[in-house]
Amino acid sequence: LKHLILEVTHACPLRCDYCFVAHHYPEMQKSMTFDTAQLAIDRLYAHWDKKERVNIGFFGGEPLLCVPLMQQVVEYAKQKFNGLVGFGMTTKACLLTKESAAFVAGNFNSCIVSMDGPPTQHDFHRKYANGKGTFADVLRGITLLNDANFNSITLRGTFLPDRIRLVDSVSFLNSLAQQGMARNVSVEPANLSETACIDSSQHFGSVHREVLTKEYDEVVDWMVREYGQGRKPLFHNINV
């Protein structure tokens, strides 16, 4: 074993309408204890070859609700694995502060930040519980990470059949990466539970195949144009 993902909490300040956590885990306020995290790390250690570097990722919910726990995990794992350990996190970035950004920059190798595209596209699905869009706060969080000299960031977008606009998302997220704010871009269809997908407009099915093919073809055409203009476009799903 070389990888461990700790789902440190199901809690989240957002209420994204395609969130699989909301569908699978109705008890959204529960969070992991350090005792549980320690048991998982000890299990990873028991299967470690004592040579290769291991990686521990933090997932949620929103991991930034559990910064003290993450700090404990980082300290414990660094000692346990004699420094041969890296850390990562998947986050919405809305809760980042100057202090937590410094913690990430000082200890993490990578970070996936959820951002769906331009402001109107992002805010269409990614809202707070009160209905307010989150784009401005996500961008602020990314800026805090950059200010802490951290840009090992993958900007990760999600889309549903009701609002795909794939090339708009990919090109916008690339524009942020070209400014040095991130290093990679990924845009994926939402993964929902079977219950949520049945008889739901959020479900991708065979009826969407033609539309998706057209969307991805447009992204390829955009990437070719970018290369033609001397830029190197980033899209985790397609290599040109």
Side-chain angles (χ1 to χ4, degrees):
L1 290 178
K2 293 188 291 186
H3 302 279
L4 172 66
I5 303 295
L6 297 176
E7 191 168 334
V8 293
T9 184
H10 294 156
C12 182
L14 276 64
R15 294 296 181 269
C16 306
D17 52 18
Y18 47 55
C19 179
F20 74 90
V21 173
H23 294 301
H24 283 289
Y25 306 110
E27 71 288 3
M28 286 188 65
Q29 298 309 310
K30 289 189 176 181
S31 297
M32 182 178 289
T33 65
F34 178 65
D35 287 343
T36 298
Q38 190 175 23
L39 285 171
I41 294 167
D42 290 347
R43 177 66 65 87
L44 177 64
Y45 181 83
H47 294 276
W48 181 44
D49 65 6
K50 310 301 187 290
K51 296 177 182 179
E52 291 191 81
R53 185 184 185 91
V54 299
N55 294 283
I56 297 176
F58 298 102
F59 195 75
E62 175 48 65
L64 288 169
L65 289 168
C66 300
V67 172
L69 172 62
M70 291 195 291
Q71 291 171 330
Q72 285 182 285
V73 167
V74 167
E75 182 179 355
Y76 180 74
K78 282 183 176 180
Q79 295 176 354
K80 191 80 175 178
F81 294 97
N82 299 316
L84 289 176
V85 57
F87 302 95
M89 173 174 63
T90 298
T91 177
K92 292 84 176 171
C94 300
L95 299 181
L96 276 163
T97 63
K98 186 176 180 180
E99 292 73 24
S100 58
F103 165 68
V104 171
N107 295 282
F108 285 30
N109 304 96
S110 63
C111 190
I112 297 174
V113 174
S114 299
M115 177 180 274
D116 286 355
T120 54
Q121 188 160 342
H122 175 94
D123 288 342
F124 189 80
H125 290 296
R126 291 191 174 274
K127 300 178 175 70
Y128 288 113
N130 64 5
K132 178 185 175 184
T134 60
F135 178 87
D137 289 340
V138 176
L139 188 62
R140 178 191 58 80
I142 295 170
T143 302
L144 285 171
L145 290 172
N146 295 162
D147 289 345
N149 297 315
F150 185 88
N151 76 338
S152 297
I153 297 168
T154 294
L155 299 175
R156 206 279 192 188
T158 302
F159 63 88
L160 291 173
D162 63 355
R163 202 175 182 87
I164 302 177
R165 302 180 182 177
L166 190 54
V167 73
D168 291 348
S169 295
V170 174
S171 60
F172 178 81
L173 298 179
N174 265 265
S175 71
L176 298 185
Q178 288 163 5
Q179 296 174 49
M181 300 180 75
R183 292 187 182 178
N184 206 354
V185 169
S186 176
V187 183
E188 311 275 355
N191 293 313
L192 302 173
S193 69
E194 291 183 6
T195 301
C197 287
I198 294 174
D199 297 326
S200 171
S201 62
Q202 295 179 326
H203 173 51
F204 280 100
S206 58
V207 67
H208 299 106
R209 187 173 301 150
E210 184 176 342
V211 173
L212 285 172
T213 299
K214 180 176 180 292
E215 291 282 342
Y216 280 99
D217 284 346
E218 288 179 357
V219 172
V220 171
D221 292 341
W222 171 82
M223 294 178 75
V224 170
R225 291 195 300 271
E226 288 291 291
Y227 272 110
Q229 295 174 17
R231 291 186 288 270
K232 186 178 180 180
L234 301 170
F235 188 37
H236 175 75
N237 313 73
I238 297 175
N239 289 317
V240 176

